[in-house]
Amino acid sequence: MSYPINKDNDTWKAELPAEKFHVLRQAGTERPWSGELLEEKRPGVFHCGACGADLFSSDTKFESGSGWPSFWDAVNPDAVELKEDRGLGMVRTEVLCAQCGSHLGHLFDDAYGTPTGQRYCMNSLALEFSPQDS
């Protein structure tokens, strides 16, 4: 698929730290409970760690107990792309940044008690956080 922000892997590799490149461009996963944004509770916006696109609002972040930052919805339906992922011997829904195609995490339908019932399970390394001005 073609994205509004389209760079080759060599360019991404030069721009991103190795651990972010692994997650964002090679669909890696950080260890659970290790991400610096897991406990982020301030009001603000979570952006793509590769291109800076707005992805999630702190208003939709919740504690899922999964070990990764979780959100019950994206900032808008066009912010993310959903793609079937048949890796690891199971069928999951991969979440990609709609602006640059970077891997963010996976979407699950197990967030009972949230308005959507969905859990966007994201890697902290795939996101940047901008606190809301007070």
Side-chain angles (χ1 to χ4, degrees), residues 5 54 80 88-89:
I5 299 171
D54 291 358
V80 295
L88 302 178

Side-chain angles (χ1 to χ4, degrees), residues 37-71:
L37 296 177
L38 180 62
E39 301 296 327
E40 181 59 66
K41 296 185 184 337
R42 295 175 291 173
V45 176
F46 295 82
H47 310 276
C48 175
C51 74
D54 291 358
L55 299 171
F56 301 97
S57 167
S58 60
D59 293 339
T60 64
K61 189 171 188 284
F62 70 101
E63 177 53 55
S64 68
S66 68
W68 290 276
S70 297
F71 305 86

Side-chain angles (χ1 to χ4, degrees), residues 1-125:
M1 169 155 186
S2 180
Y3 296 96
I5 299 171
N6 194 6
K7 302 176 186 181
D8 63 33
N9 270 340
D10 289 338
T11 303
W12 285 119
K13 197 169 199 171
E15 292 179 2
L16 297 169
E19 65 277 1
K20 284 188 173 241
F21 178 81
H22 175 67
V23 169
L24 288 159
R25 304 308 304 174
Q26 297 177 315
T29 302
E30 66 192 4
R31 289 185 340 272
W33 309 106
S34 68
E36 68 178 50
L37 296 177
L38 180 62
E39 301 296 327
E40 181 59 66
K41 296 185 184 337
R42 295 175 291 173
V45 176
F46 295 82
H47 310 276
C48 175
C51 74
D54 291 358
L55 299 171
F56 301 97
S57 167
S58 60
D59 293 339
T60 64
K61 189 171 188 284
F62 70 101
E63 177 53 55
S64 68
S66 68
W68 290 276
S70 297
F71 305 86
W72 50 264
D73 208 358
V75 292
N76 68 64
D78 297 328
V80 295
E81 176 188 2
L82 304 178
K83 181 176 144 186
E84 185 177 277
D85 176 1
R86 292 186 167 268
L88 302 178
M90 64 182 98
V91 179
R92 299 181 293 172
T93 302
E94 181 180 14
V95 181
L96 305 168
C97 173
Q99 292 299 302
C100 69
S102 289
H103 171 81
L104 305 170
H106 289 87
L107 175 63
F108 302 95
D109 64 355
D110 60 2
Y112 311 107
T114 67
T116 63
Q118 297 182 317
R119 175 172 55 97
Y120 286 83
C121 185
M122 303 292 98
N123 289 286
S124 283
L125 287 169

